[in-house]
Amino acid sequence: MQKRRRRRALLLLVLRKLLACAICAVALVALFSVHGHVFPSSKLPGASEPLKFPSVRRSPPIQSLRQSLDSPSSFHTTQQEIKYQRAGGEQGWRQELVPPHFLKPPVPSHKSEEQSWSLDSGNLWKSPSNRDFFPCIDHSPNYTGPAESHGYLLVHTNGGLNQMRAGICDMVAVARIINATLVVPELDKRSFWQDTSNFSDVFDEAHFINTLANDVKVIKKLPKELANARKATRQFRSWSGMEYYQNEIAGMWENNEVIGAAKSDSRLANNKLDQDIQKLRCRACYQALRFAPPIEAMGKLLVERMRSYGPYIALHLRYEKDMLAFSGCTHGLSPAEADELKTIRENTEYWKVKEINSTEQRYKGYCPLTPKEVGILLTALGYPSNTPIYIAAGDIYGGDFHMADLRSRYPMLMNKEKLASVVELQPFLGHASQMASLDYTVSVESNVFIPSYSGNMARAVGGHRRFLGHRKTISPDRQVFIY
């Protein structure tokens, strides 16, 4: 009995010692394991080359553009944060496990902003490659001067500044095709803007005539002796090629001395034209159609004042009353505002479409971006909040109320009324085409041009900027943006 008790006591003692040894062994293994994670290399903190653990600034989750549209302040993620989350998202959780006392001291916030700006500013303002495309407007070797004139071409332009500008270029080409003497075109005075400006008020008339002297004969007015001449006014067929003008329109000279073009917009095809005719259109647009001296001088002054703030964006914010009424776009507007725009559309006789579904228009990408959406776009592109922005537009519908969100993101919003005094702008006030000419000048000369809608000015300024050296233009895809 006593022997059995001794054996049990001895066995328990041995088991206790074995258990103690096992616990010690586990503790030692755990200790060495922890040291191995903290010091992955053979170098210790006191060595000549310090450990380098990257510091991590946790970025807020990127929300979708749709969520951002519902919350004015929800989209403040910078371009660097977006890149980090895409490229380094898989490493983020590992970096966050680094013990905080081994991290480098944080860099002061203002220094980080300066470094970020120096890294991104080149891409933000850099113009795209020209891809070996250059202006091509010189006459071909076989080009001749204007042939003997068969009669006179009278042109009644229609639309706003840029629609009239494009139409004038087309009519210069048409005059060449039908061997006509072009009378300086008459600007539209019956459009929505009711502008009474004449050609010489907006464009340099003498320069226009002289520049085209080797292409088309241009005169200021129809000679008095032709006041009772045989005349035919015609609305030329839209997007017509050279054959139409050479055969159908030129055939009218048999019975008429004067041919009148009732409209000028989109009357000549864009493609499949003789190369010299295409070059003539470019010469008319980018060389002959120079703004009148007072507009040129005021435009240069506005550009200089914008440049004094640094590189700037020209934003063609097409959010004026006429645009919203014409397009039927009422997203973000009150019921009263939507009704007002509908009334304008119904009362404007030459706007053919009266019933418009605003939601369908928006989802098809037919609506201009709202000021709020433009602010979200600029933030997503990475432009800092101190970016100078020139608003190339007329009166924004709803005024400060609809501009509040954009202004909260980008407070340096400028326009011609802020850059110039009332006295300086006085000669141009009340003349929509002249005021639009100032916006055109500042937009062409900007570091970056962004139109919120692909209308006539967006195309005209964008084309002019390409002609002058492929200056940076950002044209948002409005349909993709809202999804």
Side-chain angles (χ1 to χ4, degrees), residues 363-384:
Y363 279 95
K364 288 178 181 177
Y366 296 161
C367 290
L369 296 181
T370 67
K372 178 179 179 179
E373 290 169 335
V374 171
I376 293 170
L377 173 67
L378 294 175
T379 303
L381 290 173
Y383 286 97

Side-chain angles (χ1 to χ4, degrees), residues 73-86:
S73 60
S74 61
F75 199 110
H76 291 288
T77 308
T78 66
Q79 193 174 32
Q80 280 191 318
E81 290 170 345
I82 294 172
K83 289 179 181 177
Y84 168 76
Q85 290 188 359
R86 287 178 179 170

Side-chain angles (χ1 to χ4, degrees), residues 223-386:
K224 292 182 179 179
E225 59 269 22
L226 293 176
N228 299 318
R230 291 170 298 168
K231 185 185 301 182
T233 300
R234 185 85 168 264
Q235 186 165 310
F236 298 162
R237 193 175 66 197
S238 298
W239 309 112
S240 297
M242 292 184 63
E243 296 79 9
Y244 168 79
Y245 288 103
Q246 289 171 334
N247 300 325
E248 190 168 334
I249 300 303
M252 296 171 65
W253 292 129
E254 295 179 7
N255 301 313
N256 301 282
E257 297 176 76
V258 180
I259 296 176
K263 286 188 174 183
S264 63
D265 65 316
S266 308
R267 302 296 136 180
L268 185 61
N270 285 331
N271 303 310
K272 297 182 180 180
L273 296 177
D274 182 81
Q275 189 176 29
D276 278 320
I277 293 297
Q278 296 285 47
K279 290 180 177 181
L280 175 56
R281 292 168 101 177
C282 286
R283 284 197 297 277
C285 190
Y286 302 129
Q287 291 185 344
L289 278 179
R290 188 170 69 186
F291 289 124
I295 295 175
E296 285 272 303
M298 190 69 233
K300 289 179 181 178
L301 185 62
L302 294 175
V303 171
E304 289 175 4
R305 290 175 181 175
M306 276 305 300
R307 286 177 176 167
S308 68
Y309 294 101
Y312 72 92
I313 293 173
L315 172 62
H316 181 44
L317 190 57
R318 199 69 171 94
Y319 206 72
E320 300 115 326
K321 183 182 292 186
D322 66 293
M323 179 66 218
L324 298 178
F326 175 77
S327 63
C329 297
T330 59
H331 174 75
L333 302 180
S334 68
E337 290 173 325
D339 289 341
E340 179 188 16
L341 296 175
K342 184 178 180 180
T343 301
I344 293 173
R345 184 168 64 254
E346 291 174 345
N347 294 336
T348 304
E349 186 177 343
Y350 49 86
W351 289 351
K352 303 302 181 185
V353 182
K354 303 300 182 182
E355 293 297 326
I356 299 176
N357 186 311
S358 176
T359 303
E360 288 182 4
Q361 287 283 93
R362 177 172 162 78
Y363 279 95
K364 288 178 181 177
Y366 296 161
C367 290
L369 296 181
T370 67
K372 178 179 179 179
E373 290 169 335
V374 171
I376 293 170
L377 173 67
L378 294 175
T379 303
L381 290 173
Y383 286 97
S385 60
N386 62 348

Side-chain angles (χ1 to χ4, degrees), residues 123-184:
N123 292 329
L124 291 175
W125 304 103
K126 184 179 179 182
S127 294
S129 169
N130 61 21
R131 294 182 295 174
D132 295 327
F133 284 99
F134 299 95
C136 182
I137 61 172
D138 294 334
H139 302 101
S140 66
N142 299 324
Y143 191 80
T144 60
E148 183 180 354
S149 175
H150 292 165
Y152 297 87
L153 177 62
L154 296 177
V155 176
H156 296 272
T157 61
N158 59 294
L161 171 70
N162 296 289
Q163 188 172 335
M164 291 191 293
R165 185 186 180 100
I168 291 169
C169 298
D170 284 356
M171 290 300 110
V172 168
V174 168
R176 170 84 185 188
I177 294 170
I178 64 175
N179 293 328
T181 296
L182 177 66
V183 181
V184 168

Side-chain angles (χ1 to χ4, degrees), residues 425-478:
L425 290 177
Q426 185 60 44
F428 316 105
L429 295 176
H431 300 284
S433 293
Q434 296 180 46
M435 295 290 274
S437 300
L438 297 176
D439 285 340
Y440 185 99
T441 301
V442 181
S443 298
V444 167
E445 296 299 327
S446 64
N447 299 89
V448 177
F449 174 63
I450 303 178
S452 66
Y453 183 76
S454 56
N456 292 312
M457 180 164 176
R459 291 190 287 268
V461 172
H464 205 155
R465 290 172 65 84
R466 281 190 289 275
F467 179 82
L468 293 174
H470 297 269
R471 298 174 180 178
K472 187 165 188 173
T473 299
I474 300 174
S475 299
D477 188 324
R478 300 182 305 282

Side-chain angles (χ1 to χ4, degrees), residues 401-414:
F401 178 78
H402 290 305
M403 290 291 290
D405 190 84
L406 176 59
R407 191 179 302 280
S408 69
R409 294 171 182 270
Y410 294 92
M412 289 188 66
L413 298 181
M414 313 297 289

